[in-house]
Amino acid sequence: GMHETCGALRYRKAAAVAEAAGLNICIHGIFETGITTCATNQVAATLNNLDDGNQIMWQLLEEDIVKRPSLVPDDGALPVSGLPGLGFELDDAAVKRAAEAYRKL
């Protein structure tokens, strides 16, 4: 996953090494917001050796901070967003609620 490999570039490098060895990779989720889900989805769409057994974990949060696109898989797949950048728009109100909850810790 992108957390374990320390980002998008290293995730792509790990995928290239796996591809050279004839191996597929999958998206490995960890407790994450939809930001990581979107970033990983964008990178994964560029890989030739992506397996179909992938994980996303944003749904384990009480509330996510991504407003759009919907990150609910459609028929088992997450379409690649057409939004600019990493393909998401933040929910400003949800970010404020998350910041306030963090300050209360």
Side-chain angles (χ1 to χ4, degrees):
M2 289 217 329
H3 287 281
E4 293 84 2
T5 57
C6 300
L9 180 58
R10 288 185 178 175
Y11 184 63
R12 282 196 46 77
K13 286 180 179 181
V17 170
E19 184 178 21
L23 300 171
N24 285 343
I25 64 158
C26 67
I27 296 170
H28 178 258
I30 191 166
F31 298 107
E32 61 193 31
T33 67
I35 293 171
T36 298
T37 301
C38 288
T40 302
N41 195 41
Q42 293 281 5
V43 173
T46 69
L47 303 177
N48 295 322
N49 58 328
L50 184 67
D51 196 78
D52 60 358
N54 297 292
Q55 295 176 318
I56 55 175
M57 298 291 190
W58 65 268
Q59 73 279 9
L60 299 177
L61 298 174
E62 185 172 319
E63 178 182 27
D64 193 22
I65 59 174
V66 168
K67 180 186 277 186
R68 66 184 183 115
S70 170
L71 298 177
V72 177
D74 182 19
D75 198 26
L78 188 61
V80 177
S81 173
L83 294 172
L86 293 176
F88 66 89
E89 178 184 342
L90 283 177
D91 182 333
D92 293 332
V95 170
K96 287 178 185 175
R97 286 189 294 275
E100 183 59 32
Y102 177 77
R103 282 191 282 278
K104 290 180 180 178
L105 291 178

